[in-house]
Amino acid sequence: MASHSDTLVVFFGATAGANGGKLGSDERELILLVWQIVDLHENKVGKLQRTLVQPDSADLSEQCKEETGLTAEELCKAEPLESVLQQFYQSVSAELKSLGRSSYTLCVDGPLLIRQVLHPGASKKNLVLPECFYTFVDLKKEFQKCCPNAGPARDLTLTSMLDYVCIPAAVEQEAGMREVKNMVLLILHLLAEPYNHKFSTFETVNYKFESGACSKTEAVDSETVIRARGLPWQSSDQDIARFFKGLNIAKGGVALCLNAQGRRNGEALVRFINSEHRDMALERHKHHMGNRYIEVYKATGEEFLKIAGGTSNEDVLGFLGPESPVTDGTEGLLFVKYPDGRPTGDAFVLFACEEYAQNALKKHKQILGKRYIELFRSTAAEVQQVLNRYMSTPLISTLPPPPPQMVSVPVLATSPFITTGSTRDCIRLRGLPYTAAIEDILEFMGEHTIDIKPHGVHMVLNQQGRPSGDAFIQMKSADRAFMVAQKCHKKMMKDRYVEVFQCSTEEMSFVLMGGTLNRSGLSPPPCKLPCLSPPTYAAFPATPGMLPTEAAFYQPPLLATPRTPQAPAHNPAPALAYYSPQLYMNMNMNMNMNYTTYYPSPPVSPSTVSYFAAPPGSVAAAVAAQPAPSILPPQPGALVRMQGVPYNAGVKDILSFFQGYQLQADSVLLLYNWSGQRSGEALVTFPSEKAARQAVAECSNLPLSGHPIRLACCE
């Protein structure tokens, strides 16, 4: 296999807007690509190739028209970016084969074409770039190595480099071809005497953003940090990394800012690997993330560490104060972390007595740094459970079996936590009749019941522990949630119509924790959660080897205790578990604002059938023995996603497209974007998976009103 330095592909591009030193700064699309192969061993050059790229908008700037000589009419006849990149890949591969070479590296006049145009442009179009676009040679930097007196690499131009080595510029009328010929002249000159240059330094583009932890003591160069403002509140660190696609962000280099209530405030601090990438990031000022433009400003390393550096032991000890001394100082603090070292936002604190723990609880929702801290009662059982979730080896010995008078703790097959995220795979039902039970919701969902996740139905209770008229349902995918929201919105339940909205697990968790969800966004939970009732606890006995019984731990009140389905006649009904308030205090503190808030959920897996306020211990067995409502039988069917649907196509057009498959009108769901306009996609329900796969095989790429339709089976 030939090394990367055997062959260079000299690569040039232009956009519909600014070019040269401002290439990519105005977010305009690529419209021109030119390339030529240079064999570094034989000093030979291949055929000069030039192709136009069809943009989504053929509105050309005056600078573009003047420099390229291109017209909107020419571009409308060109191929889209995806086809052009495929054409480039095939052309280069064929030419390399004829030269007896098997690998190559792109060579560009500065990094802007690769980093500021190709990668962000492909990301917005959801295109996966070939591997060759993740490594390249910067001709300016290579020239600066050979001619250090020519000036800084960032200030060099093709003209200045040619003048410095006294090479006459190529005479070529067509834009792009002229630049590539000049780049080839410079490369051949550097390969010859007296330079004999070896192209061995390669620039790389990160494939993905890598999460990680950041210490407050870490040195962060202020020349590498920016502040992004105006982000959608649900944006994750990966969304922000995608906005800066093409630029290399340092490991753990995205820190999401929160307000005093612990909610994201639409800002983030981003740390890049060097100042060059930071400067390119600043050129993305007012570029778009969806429909929003994002402001990008310089920031300092100090600002980054304040947000990303997390909370230290000393910060927590200072927050608790002298009236709540922690047992053995910092040894009594346990920060919970992910396996890669990232803080989860939770910590457990050990106190020597009840008095100290009660003093600490008085600081519930007080401010530490720039966020409020939630304090809850906890137990050794919860500490064990949380650590088991994030660590492979238990840190605390497993609790002994309870005595006969104790209710048993069921072993869970699924995680007892509600994970949060911005994926919109949930639905919210609003306006339910107050008498509505789970059976009514399942009947309301109809055929979509089969798409509900296990343990995925969550009734929202009011202050008195009664139904509030709201419920959340976790679906198997965002597509399923979207389809349910479209089909069931304002459908009747008893004598009321019910509103159905698609939402994320993060939004669901805010409401289940007592916050409110309204048009202006999320309101944080009040100090006294309105949907909770205090549970009854049964204490675990102290045993040798366990933590001291005098110590005081605190646990969050259960969101709601599940009603357990009735067991078969030959098995006893499963019991409900309650946990001791002894031993620990749990601090939910958003220590590293880079990550989504973690909300502990009860140590019992919620069932899919119902939630109740926690009952007294004396009635636990009676609640457990209540029969579970019947669940609707699974409905057959398989989904097919259509892409490229004309915006004026209706349900009848789609039924005609699938003529012969005996579909009904309600089998077709046209999809809309956030602006309420057609998205060009549709979901079609087929009677069976076999029929769906047959339709995909037979109808893919067939035209609908002159547009080829792409089909894919949905999982």
Side-chain angles (χ1 to χ4, degrees):
M1 180 73 75
S3 70
H4 278 289
S5 59
D6 286 342
T7 312
L8 292 181
V9 176
V10 180
F11 197 66
F12 176 84
T15 71
N19 290 293
K22 286 293 185 179
L23 186 69
S25 62
D26 55 2
E27 217 175 355
R28 300 300 294 273
E29 294 178 86
L30 192 70
I31 59 169
L32 172 67
L33 280 180
V34 185
W35 66 89
Q36 188 171 23
I37 288 179
V38 178
D39 187 331
L40 299 181
H41 282 328
E42 304 292 335
N43 287 4
K44 293 180 179 178
V45 298
K47 182 180 178 183
L48 190 61
Q49 306 274 8
R50 181 178 187 268
T51 184
L52 302 183
V53 184
Q54 184 185 87
D56 292 339
S57 171
D59 181 24
L60 306 181
S61 70
E62 291 303 319
Q63 179 191 356
C64 172
K65 292 177 184 178
E66 182 180 342
E67 293 180 354
T68 66
L70 296 174
T71 64
E73 290 74 18
E74 290 178 281
L75 295 176
C76 288
K77 298 175 184 177
E79 295 289 327
L81 179 61
E82 184 176 12
S83 301
V84 170
L85 293 178
Q86 188 175 6
Q87 176 188 336
F88 164 80
Y89 184 77
Q90 292 172 347
S91 170
V92 171
S93 298
E95 195 167 350
L96 280 180
K97 189 175 181 181
S98 67
L99 292 172
R101 306 296 181 196
S102 58
S103 63
Y104 60 92
T105 304
L106 298 181
C107 179
V108 290
D109 175 27
L112 300 182
L113 175 60
I114 301 292
R115 296 193 184 276
Q116 296 285 69
V117 178
L118 267 175
H119 277 278
S123 179
K124 287 177 182 176
K125 295 176 183 288
N126 292 317
L127 301 180
V128 178
L129 288 175
E131 189 176 353
C132 63
F133 291 104
Y134 287 84
T135 306
F136 63 92
V137 169
D138 185 342
L139 182 57
K140 291 181 178 180
K141 291 181 180 178
E142 298 299 313
F143 185 87
Q144 206 270 339
K145 288 180 189 175
C146 297
C147 307
N149 295 329
R154 64 177 178 272
D155 296 334
L156 296 175
T157 64
L158 284 176
T159 302
S160 68
M161 289 187 286
L162 289 169
D163 289 344
Y164 188 84
V165 293
C166 302
I167 297 177
V171 179
E172 177 63 52
Q173 297 300 318
E174 284 193 290
M177 301 184 78
R178 177 174 59 250
E179 285 78 4
V180 168
K181 284 186 176 181
N182 285 332
M183 291 169 69
V184 170
L185 287 174
L186 285 168
I187 291 170
L188 294 176
H189 187 76
L190 296 181
L191 291 172
E193 296 286 349
Y195 304 109
N196 296 318
H197 183 63
K198 301 294 183 184
F199 290 87
S200 57
T201 303
F202 306 110
E203 301 274 316
T204 59
V205 179
N206 289 347
Y207 283 94
K208 63 178 183 178
F209 167 66
E210 189 176 358
S211 300
C214 178
S215 167
K216 278 192 173 180
T217 59
E218 187 174 339
V220 177
D221 184 358
S222 292
E223 296 300 310
T224 65
V225 181
I226 61 95
R227 180 183 294 272
R229 184 174 295 163
L231 300 164
W233 65 266
Q234 70 270 32
S235 299
S236 66
D237 52 355
Q238 295 294 340
D239 295 324
I240 294 167
R242 184 175 182 180
F243 175 78
F244 289 109
K245 184 69 175 174
L247 307 180
N248 294 347
I249 298 174
K251 182 178 179 180
V254 178
L256 296 165
C257 301
L258 307 183
N259 60 20
Q261 287 74 41
R263 292 168 52 194
R264 296 176 186 174
N265 65 5
E267 294 190 9
L269 290 161
V270 185
R271 177 189 180 192
F272 294 91
I273 61 169
N274 58 37
S275 59
E276 180 188 14
H277 289 242
R278 192 283 304 267
D279 291 342
M280 285 187 279
L282 291 171
E283 292 295 329
R284 299 197 188 181
H285 180 60
K286 294 199 173 180
H287 283 204
H288 288 77
M289 181 185 286
N291 293 326
R292 301 175 66 117
Y293 71 80
I294 308 302
E295 300 174 1
V296 183
Y297 303 101
K298 290 182 179 180
T300 66
E302 197 174 87
E303 290 175 297
F304 180 82
L305 286 175
K306 282 181 181 177
I307 303 300
T311 302
S312 67
N313 291 347
E314 288 72 23
D315 293 331
V316 175
L317 294 177
F319 171 77
L320 294 171
E323 65 275 13
S324 307
V326 177
T327 302
D328 297 328
T330 57
E331 296 299 316
L333 293 174
L334 175 62
F335 290 91
V336 184
K337 297 183 179 181
Y338 292 102
D340 63 2
R342 292 182 291 127
T344 64
D346 269 20
F348 292 92
V349 184
L350 178 64
F351 295 102
C353 66
E354 178 72 18
E355 179 187 355
Y356 296 159
Q358 289 291 352
N359 290 339
L361 275 180
K362 296 175 183 176
K363 296 181 179 289
H364 180 58
K365 295 217 171 179
Q366 290 188 16
I367 301 298
L368 170 57
K370 291 186 177 181
R371 59 264 192 200
Y372 71 87
I373 305 300
E374 296 175 302
L375 304 178
F376 304 104
R377 290 182 177 272
S378 190
T379 66
E382 187 189 359
V383 177
Q384 178 68 76
Q385 191 176 36
V386 170
L387 292 175
N388 285 348
R389 177 174 172 81
Y390 297 108
M391 301 174 66
S392 56
T393 306
L395 189 66
I396 300 174
S397 301
T398 304
L399 293 173
Q405 70 271 19
M406 296 287 295
V407 290
S408 62
V409 180
V411 177
L412 305 179
T414 57
S415 168
F417 301 87
I418 299 175
T419 58
T420 63
S422 58
T423 303
R424 300 176 66 79
D425 57 356
C426 300
I427 58 171
R428 182 189 188 193
L429 276 58
R430 189 169 69 183
L432 295 169
Y434 294 114
T435 57
I438 295 298
E439 303 95 301
D440 301 309
I441 293 178
L442 296 176
E443 184 179 352
F444 175 82
M445 295 279 291
E447 62 187 23
H448 305 293
T449 304
I450 193 174
D451 296 323
I452 299 175
K453 279 186 180 180
H455 318 298
V457 179
H458 308 279
M459 299 288 286
V460 181
L461 308 179
N462 62 18
Q463 216 164 357
Q464 289 74 39
R466 297 170 185 166
S468 66
D470 278 22
F472 286 91
I473 300 175
Q474 292 174 277
M475 307 300 291
K476 291 181 178 177
S477 70
D479 282 345
R480 301 284 176 165
F482 182 86
M483 186 168 66
V484 174
Q486 294 269 332
K487 285 197 171 183
C488 296
H489 184 55
K490 295 198 175 180
K491 182 178 168 184
M492 298 298 293
M493 180 186 293
K494 298 185 178 179
D495 57 345
R496 301 186 62 170
Y497 73 81
V498 177
E499 297 177 291
V500 183
F501 306 101
Q502 188 181 11
C503 67
S504 66
T505 48
E506 184 177 46
E507 294 168 327
M508 179 186 72
S509 294
F510 261 86
V511 175
L512 292 180
M513 288 298 292
T516 57
L517 187 61
N518 49 47
R519 292 182 181 178
S520 59
L522 294 171
S523 299
C527 186
K528 211 171 184 181
L529 301 180
C531 59
L532 308 182
S533 298
T536 302
Y537 298 94
F540 285 104
T543 59
M546 283 187 61
L547 296 165
T549 55
E550 315 67 72
F553 266 3
Y554 289 136
Q555 168 178 349
L558 300 181
L559 284 176
T561 304
R563 180 173 67 187
T564 310
Q566 189 173 14
H570 57 277
N571 289 329
L576 296 177
Y578 299 94
Y579 288 79
S580 166
Q582 303 302 314
L583 297 186
Y584 273 113
M585 180 181 72
N586 172 242
M587 301 182 70
N588 184 257
M589 57 205 321
N590 295 333
M591 291 180 295
N592 188 331
M593 298 193 190
N594 197 353
Y595 306 99
T596 304
T597 309
Y598 159 71
Y599 296 106
S601 128
V604 182
S605 183
S607 83
T608 56
V609 293
S610 188
Y611 273 165
F612 285 85
S618 59
V619 299
V623 173
Q626 292 186 29
S630 61
I631 297 178
L632 294 177
Q635 300 294 321
L639 276 178
V640 169
R641 177 185 285 275
M642 301 179 69
Q643 294 179 304
V645 178
Y647 296 114
N648 58 352
V651 173
K652 289 184 179 180
D653 299 309
I654 293 176
L655 292 176
S656 298
F657 180 82
F658 289 112
Q659 188 174 8
Y661 285 91
Q662 300 179 347
L663 301 177
Q664 303 298 320
D666 61 358
S667 301
V668 178
L669 179 63
L670 294 167
L671 303 184
Y672 294 80
N673 59 26
W674 293 106
S675 306
Q677 300 171 332
R678 293 274 187 88
S679 66
E681 296 189 359
L683 295 175
V684 183
T685 304
F686 283 80
S688 67
E689 185 176 349
K690 180 180 179 182
R693 294 190 181 280
Q694 182 180 348
V696 170
E698 293 179 352
C699 302
S700 284
N701 296 317
L702 291 182
L704 173 58
S705 301
H707 293 254
I709 302 298
R710 299 186 299 278
L711 302 177
C713 290
C714 296
E715 295 297 332

